[in-house]
Amino acid sequence: MSLAIIGGTGALDLFEVHERRSLDTVYGAPSSDLARIEIGSTPAWFLARHGQPHRIPPHRVNYRANIQALHELGVTRIVAVTAVGGIAPELVPGSLVVPDQLIDYSWGRVHSFSDDAESPLLHVEFAEPFAESARESLLRAAERARVPVVDRGCYAVTQGPRLETAAEVRKLAADGCTLVGMTAMPEAALARERAIAYATLSVVANPAAGVSAEPISIDEIHAVLDQAMGRVKQLLHALQV
Ligand code: HPA
């Protein structure tokens, strides 16, 4: 079993890097070099979803190249860090969540490996979009590291890069979503198509639009993410690979 971490906004310097590998795939280049890291003393891989330095917006990430590159490295489990806004009132800034469901509101993204006549047509099963095995490993790591996390939640995937309107967030809440971010799809579905067990650790950076009376400040988002990364790091280092 081989593990990869996909780092999101604010999650670049979580591990010491032992080697960098630049890979290309038939779908193009991944967002960043693949960095070989260690968790405990077991080798794992790290990929920066938005590039290193951070420059690729969520709707422009080559999700297929990223998942394909990890697949070619033999990765069978992915833990992806995602920054999100909190919709449910208990998901205050700084909360960590391991969601169990999602609704995809993104559009126009290349979202499947089944995209031409040569590729096999895969109708993957996706009732549970996050692999329970990968979610469990995150929850157990949180326990070991004594880092509080919220188990379960429904992740609304929006297109971005703009944040939502207050009315959009009210609709997401009415749909049953408890958090909103821009990157879990098509990442989760592509991982499923490549039979990789995928789960996400979502870091609540702000109350979603309209949830708090205060306007959302990007500086505040970065400050919250910076503050949360210590706990994210502790948790990820406690993963059993
Ligand atoms: N909405 C969507 N994505 C996000 C947010 C948000 O409020 N905060 C961080 N990523």
Side-chain angles (χ1 to χ4, degrees):
M1 207 267 311
S2 172
L3 172 70
I5 309 288
I6 298 181
T9 305
L12 286 180
D13 303 315
L14 299 169
F15 298 92
E16 186 187 337
V17 173
H18 295 270
E19 177 201 334
R20 284 186 195 280
R21 223 183 268 183
S22 150
L23 275 189
D24 207 3
T25 77
V26 293
Y27 304 106
S31 300
S32 72
D33 285 348
L34 283 300
R36 204 182 64 72
I37 57 170
E38 279 179 4
I39 299 186
S41 51
T42 312
W45 293 99
F46 182 86
L47 172 66
R49 181 192 293 112
H50 300 281
Q52 204 155 13
H54 187 116
R55 67 194 149 78
I56 310 170
H59 63 291
R60 289 274 177 207
V61 170
N62 188 340
Y63 293 96
R64 285 203 303 186
N66 288 352
I67 297 297
Q68 182 66 18
L70 296 174
H71 174 65
E72 287 175 15
L73 288 169
V75 165
T76 53
R77 192 197 333 154
I78 293 175
V79 166
V81 182
T82 51
V84 297
I87 298 176
E90 66 276 17
L91 298 186
V92 295
S95 308
L96 303 183
V97 190
V98 183
D100 63 328
Q101 274 299 332
L102 64 78
I103 300 181
D104 187 7
Y105 302 91
S106 71
W107 50 270
R109 301 181 180 190
V110 181
H111 64 284
S112 174
F113 290 110
S114 296
D115 205 39
D116 54 49
E118 286 78 58
S119 310
L121 174 52
L122 305 169
H123 292 291
V124 288
E125 206 280 324
F126 206 49
E128 302 297 332
F130 301 109
E132 202 49 33
S133 60
R135 280 192 358 95
E136 278 297 318
S137 75
L138 271 170
L139 295 171
R140 281 197 303 270
E143 254 173 49
R144 273 193 294 276
R146 297 202 165 80
V147 171
V149 292
V150 176
D151 178 14
R152 302 189 185 280
C154 183
Y155 183 132
V157 188
T158 54
Q159 178 71 350
R162 67 165 177 85
L163 297 170
E164 296 68 38
T165 67
E168 285 169 338
V169 170
R170 283 196 295 274
K171 174 188 188 304
L172 300 179
D175 283 355
C177 298
T178 57
L179 55 157
V180 53
M182 302 173 190
T183 51
M185 284 293 278
E187 210 167 75
L190 290 164
R192 181 64 56 87
E193 287 186 355
R194 286 291 181 252
I196 299 173
Y198 175 100
T200 184
L201 176 65
S202 294
V203 186
V204 179
N206 54 281
V211 168
S212 137
E214 302 290 311
I216 299 172
S217 132
I218 298 301
D219 288 345
E220 184 63 22
I221 287 184
H222 286 291
V224 171
L225 290 175
D226 280 353
Q227 186 276 334
M229 278 313 138
R231 279 176 289 130
V232 170
K233 188 169 174 174
Q234 266 175 283
L235 192 161
L236 295 177
H237 279 271
L239 282 167
Q240 265 171 2
V241 187

